Amino acid sequence: MATVGILGLPNVGKTTLFNALTGLDAPTAPHPFSTTEPNVGVAKIPDVLLDRVAELEGSKRTVHATLELSDLPAMAGPGHKGLAAQFLGRLRDVDALVIVLRSFDDPGVPADESGVDPVEQAETLLLELALADADVFARRAEKAAKEATADPALKRAAAAIARAAGLLEQGGHLRTAEWMPDELDAFRDLAPLTLKPTVWVVNRGEDDTEPLDSGIEAAVPDGDVFVELSARIEEEAAGLDPEDRTELLEGLGFGVGALANMVEATHAALDLIVFYTLGAKESHARTVRRGTTAREAAGKVHSDMERGFIRAEVAALADVVDAGGWEALKAGGGVRLEGADYVVAEGDALQIRFSV
């Protein structure tokens, strides 16, 4: 399960988004720093095809893929002392960051601490994250230099840490520079925030249909992913049953909704895919890194399957649904056999054959 940390300036809608994604009811308030402790929840990823195939297979249990979300207390604006600094260490343990930017005006939700300019907010938060990493790397650089003096084999790692410390001191982010694999290994224990894949969420007004200012894309590192939404409407929709939720979101022009969009963006940022295992006992969606082989995917189900892997029967989940179930597709020749080195694709359904 991928883990995601949500952060932003005060009153930008972080916790509202958290509630929309998890279906929880973490308290919100129209004043700064109303979140004083991290909120943690799990978002079940909607998957219509999985639900349908579970019906076809008569599965006793359906297991959706999930995201674990941590809603961090608000970061401080320039010149202010906020609550989030003491919690930044928790972000070092997550796989990706979701940074919420406010672009809506609402007299009932003061914008004194954040403003409503997403570009300015992005620049502020980029600097805060760089400074947080700069402190960690500056301390590590001094120690690494001493270690390299005693052991020449450590000189390259020490040089990489020193170069990173210099970039961070200037407000730069590590993911804007090129690093060799051994250099990234030198950073691993430091868990730098500025290397983490990042999704930027622009929280817009409920009636805001104007195109997003392109300046936001120029303000953040290349390759970062963007999602536009109205967190307030998404939170209201989260309390409805699936059909009513879909009708509301589509009627307002919000498409499939925040959760589906966030999952797509987060998976893209982390280079993740979903594959499936099916059966009468359980139909299960499983998340793995792109490039995972069939043998490695088997290990995600059970270590015995990876150790005793023989072959995998493979088909696209959509084809399983269209055929009316796995056995029907197999009877029609729609299931193929793949070996241990087969690279699993997004949406594959696998039946693992193994012997231990």
Side-chain angles (χ1 to χ4, degrees):
M1 175 170 55
T3 58
V4 176
I6 304 175
L7 64 152
L9 295 174
N11 283 355
V12 298
K14 293 185 307 82
T15 303
T16 302
L17 176 63
F18 172 84
N19 288 338
L21 296 175
T22 62
L24 298 177
D25 191 25
T28 60
H31 57 76
F33 309 115
S34 59
T35 301
T36 57
E37 292 288 337
N39 298 307
V40 179
V42 174
K44 184 176 77 170
I45 298 173
D47 195 326
V48 175
L49 283 180
L50 174 63
D51 293 334
R52 178 62 183 137
V53 83
E55 292 179 6
L56 292 171
E57 297 297 313
S59 302
K60 294 180 181 178
R61 185 166 176 250
T62 305
V63 182
H64 286 240
T66 57
L67 285 177
E68 181 178 305
L69 304 171
S70 293
D71 169 32
L72 204 72
M75 299 288 292
H80 297 273
K81 183 179 180 181
L83 296 173
Q86 61 186 299
F87 297 109
L88 276 177
R90 298 198 184 194
L91 285 181
R92 299 192 184 279
D93 295 328
V94 304
D95 298 316
L97 304 179
V98 167
I99 301 180
V100 182
L101 307 173
R102 174 175 176 168
S103 72
F104 65 88
D105 284 305
D106 185 340
V109 184
D112 298 344
E113 297 281 347
S114 65
V116 295
D117 184 342
V119 175
E120 290 184 1
Q121 295 165 55
E123 291 172 344
T124 295
L125 292 166
L126 286 168
L127 179 59
E128 289 295 326
L129 294 174
L131 292 175
D133 275 354
D135 180 58
V136 172
F137 272 75
R139 286 186 275 111
R140 184 68 183 93
E142 183 177 349
K143 182 179 179 181
K146 292 179 180 178
E147 292 171 344
T149 300
D151 184 355
L154 298 176
K155 285 186 177 180
R156 182 168 170 78
I161 292 172
R163 180 161 74 96
L167 174 63
L168 292 163
E169 186 178 2
Q170 299 300 315
H173 276 219
L174 298 186
R175 65 184 184 279
T176 64
E178 294 186 5
W179 306 97
M180 298 300 291
D182 62 326
E183 293 177 314
L184 293 174
D185 285 341
F187 303 159
R188 194 176 307 280
D189 290 343
L190 303 177
L193 300 173
T194 60
L195 264 183
K196 293 188 181 296
T198 301
V199 176
W200 298 85
V201 173
V202 179
N203 188 12
R204 313 194 70 172
E206 298 156 65
D207 301 318
D208 187 358
T209 58
E210 293 297 319
L212 180 64
D213 185 350
S214 60
I216 183 61
E217 296 190 32
V220 306
D222 290 341
D224 284 4
V225 182
F226 289 86
V227 174
E228 299 177 54
L229 51 79
S230 168
R232 179 176 293 177
I233 288 178
E234 296 285 354
E235 184 182 35
E236 294 174 359
L240 303 175
D241 63 57
E243 289 187 4
D244 290 342
R245 180 168 62 247
T246 299
E247 183 178 349
L248 172 64
L249 293 174
E250 289 183 348
L252 293 173
F254 287 96
V256 295
L259 181 52
N261 287 330
M262 283 290 304
V263 168
E264 181 179 355
T266 303
H267 281 196
L270 291 171
D271 208 19
L272 299 175
I273 64 169
V274 175
F275 79 96
Y276 303 86
T277 53
L278 312 175
K281 182 178 179 181
E282 177 182 275
S283 288
H284 197 136
R286 303 174 188 274
T287 305
V288 294
R289 297 281 181 185
R290 191 178 302 278
T292 294
T293 64
R295 184 190 296 276
E296 293 167 337
K300 295 294 183 180
V301 182
H302 196 285
S303 59
D304 284 348
M305 289 187 174
E306 182 173 13
R307 186 169 61 252
F309 183 94
I310 299 174
R311 66 180 184 273
E313 297 180 352
V314 182
L317 187 70
D319 291 343
V320 178
V321 172
D322 289 343
W326 180 267
E327 291 303 324
L329 182 64
K330 187 174 180 179
V335 175
R336 65 188 188 277
L337 296 179
E338 298 288 358
D341 295 331
Y342 168 72
V343 177
V344 178
E346 173 74 45
D348 273 352
L350 274 64
Q351 294 281 8
I352 309 297
R353 303 306 176 192
F354 68 103
S355 176
V356 293

